[in-house]
Amino acid sequence: MTSIQTAEVVVTSPDRNFVTLRLTTEDGLVGLGDATLNGRELAVVAYLREHVLPLLIGRDAHRIEDTWQFLYRSAYWRRGPVTMAAIAAVDVALWDLKAQAAGMPLYQLLGGASRTGLLAYGHASGRDLPELFDSIRDHLDQGYQAIRVQIGVPGLTAVYGVAASPRAGGGRYDYEPAGRGAYPAEEDWDTRAYLRHLPAVFDAVRNEFGPELPLLHDAHHRLTPIQAARLGKALEPYDLFWLEDATPAENQQALRLVRQHTTTPLAIGEVFNTIWDYQELIREQLIDYVRSAVTHTGGITHLRRILDFAAQYQIKSGIHGPTDISPVGMAAALHLGLAIHNFGIQEYMKHGTRTDQVFHQTFTFTDGYLHPGDQPGLGVTLDTDQAGQYPYEQAYLPYNRLTDGTIHDW
Ligand code: EZ4
Ligand code: CO
């Protein structure tokens, strides 16, 4: 038995807000877990500080499964992003500790490497085609070998995933950080305009960059099932790696209709948080990729369970990895992705330089492939002095209105 000695939550905002759980054991090891829930960060902080951390002191750090079940079942109130992000942080910190105690990189405890590296995709975007092409070239120059494509829609002023200015610091398209301020930014949306525009964009991208480059697209929950079916069908000639979040999937049966109409591969799940959210999607093979983050889905223990279930149906991983996943959450995704058999692709955006000063990482990105590195544990350390220099800042995700003013999914 190795007991947990201290448990604390560190909130820091170097380039955006991050919530990190930091556990220490009696033998002096430090384990980290990511608990960042974009735009609702302090809810998870309170859940951890008020309800979870007091339960951890004195527990055996090596009983990961038992601790997971204890936190999930003893709360009585199950599931939900806040609960599952809090459990995820504890779970990942315990895996970090166990792997450090074993003197091995975490992926070794998950079964060892199933591949040499993890294919990553980056986010290219532009307000129009010339900007988009520049962004794709910029990503190819950085080594990316798979690219998500998002573009402005004529007549709309702001569209999800499209950089407001073509080039932010260091070649990073910095549209992701939630807008800092006391009220969310408003964006506009017109589904018919989007559906008219997008196939021509993919036609142009294929003509410019050829047939081989894996291309992805995120519809960000905006379409009805019949609209999603139409888009998937229209994009078939352009051989997408996946179409993501074509329609909101609280209603899992809605995907049956989309599936019947298109062979474009489908990815879903970044807003999901348990295996139950995927039950019909996986069992009926309605999707091709699981988008859950380690950070939002109960940690390595629970996401592995989902991915093992998915493997029985030839469904692969596409673990969520935007910049609102901290380097701790990203490292956890990389160890898991390296170990499982049904790895698909890993989303990866570089964090800003201040974030890299707060979180020291050992994972690498070389020629389009990520690797978690071979340090014992997760391979990420938190510089608490640096973290202390960037206090929490209130920030909200944007929201969306149709042209007649109706609030829409964003
Ligand atoms: O908008 O993580 O595929 N990636 C995404 C992300 C989400 C943000 C929300 O916090 O859709 O960029
Ligand atoms: Co997405």
Side-chain angles (χ1 to χ4, degrees):
M1 152 125 183
T2 307
S3 61
I4 298 170
Q5 205 160 48
T6 68
E8 61 176 327
V9 178
V10 178
V11 183
T12 182
S13 192
D15 298 294
R16 61 179 312 129
N17 292 314
F18 292 112
V19 177
T20 310
L21 175 66
R22 189 172 179 277
L23 301 181
T24 65
T25 57
E26 57 182 337
D27 46 11
L29 297 177
V30 178
L32 301 176
D34 179 23
T36 308
L37 186 61
N38 200 8
R40 293 293 185 270
E41 295 87 356
L42 299 186
V44 189
V45 173
Y47 191 105
L48 283 166
R49 280 195 183 140
E50 306 298 328
H51 306 293
V52 173
L53 301 193
L55 308 176
L56 298 179
I57 309 302
R59 283 184 80 81
D60 185 352
H62 289 304
R63 296 185 63 183
I64 299 176
E65 180 70 28
D66 182 71
T67 301
W68 197 98
Q69 301 296 342
F70 170 64
L71 293 176
Y72 185 76
R73 293 176 200 284
S74 72
Y76 187 66
W77 310 107
R78 294 186 184 196
R79 309 161 65 184
V82 176
T83 298
M84 298 309 285
I87 295 177
V90 176
D91 183 77
V92 170
L94 293 181
W95 277 110
D96 187 15
L97 287 168
K98 192 187 273 292
Q100 288 179 51
M104 289 181 178
L106 174 52
Y107 70 82
Q108 292 291 6
L109 273 59
L110 302 174
S114 287
R115 56 195 52 77
T116 52
L118 304 173
L119 178 66
Y121 75 89
H123 290 198
S125 73
R127 289 169 295 187
D128 52 25
L129 276 178
E131 266 187 27
L132 175 64
F133 285 7
D134 283 352
S135 175
I136 294 173
R137 282 190 201 101
D138 181 64
H139 281 78
L140 295 173
D141 290 346
Q142 291 175 49
Y144 281 103
Q145 295 196 36
I147 309 258
R148 190 183 85 161
V149 168
Q150 305 295 134
I151 191 162
V153 176
L156 299 183
T157 51
V159 170
Y160 164 78
V162 177
S165 60
R167 179 71 64 91
R172 199 168 78 95
Y173 286 81
D174 204 13
Y175 57 84
E176 282 272 42
R180 292 185 179 182
Y183 203 80
E186 185 176 301
E187 297 185 347
D188 53 353
W189 187 247
D190 178 342
T191 301
R192 292 187 67 236
Y194 165 77
L195 290 176
R196 281 196 305 273
H197 188 54
L198 204 64
V201 169
F202 274 90
D203 191 55
V205 170
R206 277 290 176 224
N207 283 336
E208 181 73 14
F209 294 95
E212 283 180 29
L213 181 65
L215 298 175
L216 303 83
H217 180 71
D218 192 344
H220 230 242
H221 326 273
R222 291 176 185 201
L223 311 178
T224 63
I226 202 71
Q227 290 167 339
R230 180 173 149 208
L231 179 63
K233 214 164 159 177
L235 294 177
E236 278 170 21
Y238 312 112
D239 187 24
L240 264 63
F241 187 95
W242 77 34
L243 172 61
E244 176 183 348
D245 287 332
T247 192
E250 289 97 328
N251 179 7
Q252 296 183 41
Q253 300 94 310
L255 269 291
R256 287 185 195 143
L257 186 142
V258 184
R259 199 63 158 173
Q260 278 160 14
H261 286 284
T262 180
T263 57
T264 294
L266 302 174
I268 259 181
E270 70 183 44
V271 301
F272 290 176
N273 46 70
T274 70
I275 199 165
W276 308 105
D277 299 319
Y278 286 102
Q279 202 172 21
E280 289 165 77
L281 295 179
I282 291 177
R283 209 175 46 207
E284 296 184 34
Q285 262 176 300
L286 300 179
I287 57 171
D288 299 280
Y289 296 93
V290 164
R291 286 290 287 140
S292 271
V294 174
T295 303
H296 303 134
T297 318
I300 285 170
T301 297
H302 195 67
L303 186 52
R304 170 124 213 196
R305 209 149 273 158
I306 296 172
L307 292 172
D308 284 346
F309 175 35
Q312 311 310 310
Y313 298 88
Q314 295 172 286
I315 298 169
K316 294 186 176 186
S317 73
I319 302 178
H320 199 210
T323 44
D324 45 290
I325 301 296
S326 88
V328 174
M330 177 57 64
L334 301 185
H335 285 280
L336 182 57
L338 197 67
I340 57 173
H341 177 248
N342 57 331
F343 170 80
I345 199 166
Q346 175 62 53
E347 183 179 28
Y348 175 58
M349 302 172 67
K350 294 185 170 105
H351 283 112
T353 47
R354 283 182 297 210
T355 299
D356 292 342
Q357 283 158 14
V358 172
F359 298 93
H360 302 164
Q361 313 144 23
T362 54
F363 59 79
T364 53
F365 176 66
T366 314
D367 298 331
Y369 282 78
L370 290 154
H371 192 284
D374 283 303
Q375 293 291 313
L378 279 173
V380 182
T381 54
L382 174 68
D383 184 329
T384 46
D385 291 338
Q386 283 283 330
Q389 290 179 24
Y390 305 107
Y392 169 79
E393 290 186 42
Q394 187 171 41
Y396 285 99
L397 290 162
Y399 75 108
N400 220 354
R401 285 188 194 273
L402 303 178
T403 35
D404 74 351
T406 308
I407 291 204
H408 192 60
D409 301 303
W410 84 273

